[in-house]
Amino acid sequence: MKILALDSSGLVASVAVVMDDELLGEYTINHKKTHSQTLLPMLDEVVKMIELDMSTIDVIAVSAGPGSFTGLRIGSATAKGLALALDIPIVHVPTLDAMAYNVYGTDMIICPIMDARRGQVYTGIYSFDGDNLNVHLENSAMPIEELIDRLKSIGRKTIFLGDGVPVFKDQIDDIYNVEHCYAPAGMNRQRASSVAVFGA
């Protein structure tokens, strides 16, 4: 199966093509341009670089939120237009579930956080049991303090990722007295390849 994946749910724009268990190409950018300026040129570049025949795409996976309202609209509209032109299905993937896949296989609790403004985060709480992603908290919006209280009740080492980390890192370090760490650069933002894998 060949999957085209799009993520424009946050500050990052990302496009990927995955065939079975192989990443054929991915273009991810975190810069100050709007997704309406970046998403289609990025897709065009990936198509050229991997010499992709768009008619060979089986399904389009798109990040479905939570996230930026405008970004999600751009991603969904792009996916819908492509799917109609190619006559293929679309799979909507929860943004935070796909982000949890960035740290596939870890034995830690996974906590993606996206800045929802006003002291709140979009978040979920996850862990892996072998290949299975367990959801301890469905996608939610809540104050960071409430999230920390929920994580304390689980009491396991936690890895945080997402654009909420730079906003809330000092606060997390001050009030979360359970062992924790932060995902490195290659894993800490939305990636279309994770959207594709989760979509599969």
Side-chain angles (χ1 to χ4, degrees), residues 26-46:
E26 183 173 31
Y27 190 160
T28 300
I29 191 161
N30 183 10
H31 195 60
K32 300 167 187 161
K33 293 185 178 178
T34 64
H35 297 320
S36 61
Q37 293 174 290
T38 57
L39 206 59
L40 283 173
M42 289 167 62
L43 173 59
D44 187 50
E45 191 65 25
V46 169

Side-chain angles (χ1 to χ4, degrees), residues 3-58:
I3 300 175
L4 169 64
L6 308 171
D7 193 319
S8 57
S9 60
L11 300 173
V12 169
S14 188
V15 175
V17 179
V18 172
M19 185 170 69
D20 301 323
D21 289 327
E22 184 179 358
L23 175 61
L24 301 181
E26 183 173 31
Y27 190 160
T28 300
I29 191 161
N30 183 10
H31 195 60
K32 300 167 187 161
K33 293 185 178 178
T34 64
H35 297 320
S36 61
Q37 293 174 290
T38 57
L39 206 59
L40 283 173
M42 289 167 62
L43 173 59
D44 187 50
E45 191 65 25
V46 169
V47 167
K48 286 179 190 168
M49 291 301 288
I50 65 172
E51 299 176 351
L52 175 67
D53 177 355
M54 290 293 286
S55 68
T56 64
I57 297 292
D58 297 301

Side-chain angles (χ1 to χ4, degrees), residues 109-129:
I109 291 292
I110 305 162
C111 187
I113 54 175
M114 297 172 66
D115 185 13
R117 313 272 187 229
R118 298 181 181 153
Q120 295 209 335
V121 291
Y122 296 122
T123 190
I125 301 174
Y126 306 88
S127 66
F128 277 98
D129 178 13

Side-chain angles (χ1 to χ4, degrees), residues 97-173:
D97 294 22
M99 288 177 72
Y101 254 82
N102 288 1
V103 286
Y104 175 86
T106 183
D107 59 355
M108 292 182 270
I109 291 292
I110 305 162
C111 187
I113 54 175
M114 297 172 66
D115 185 13
R117 313 272 187 229
R118 298 181 181 153
Q120 295 209 335
V121 291
Y122 296 122
T123 190
I125 301 174
Y126 306 88
S127 66
F128 277 98
D129 178 13
D131 292 338
N132 298 321
L133 182 67
N134 297 319
V135 180
H136 301 277
L137 172 67
E138 296 281 351
N139 290 198
S140 307
M142 65 182 61
I144 189 68
E145 297 85 358
E146 182 180 337
L147 172 61
I148 295 301
D149 286 343
R150 287 176 182 251
L151 289 168
K152 283 180 179 176
S153 70
I154 297 172
R156 284 175 50 197
K157 184 175 181 180
T158 306
I159 185 165
F160 292 93
L161 64 154
D163 63 30
V165 168
V167 178
F168 294 103
K169 183 178 186 296
D170 290 344
Q171 197 171 351
I172 292 168
D173 289 341

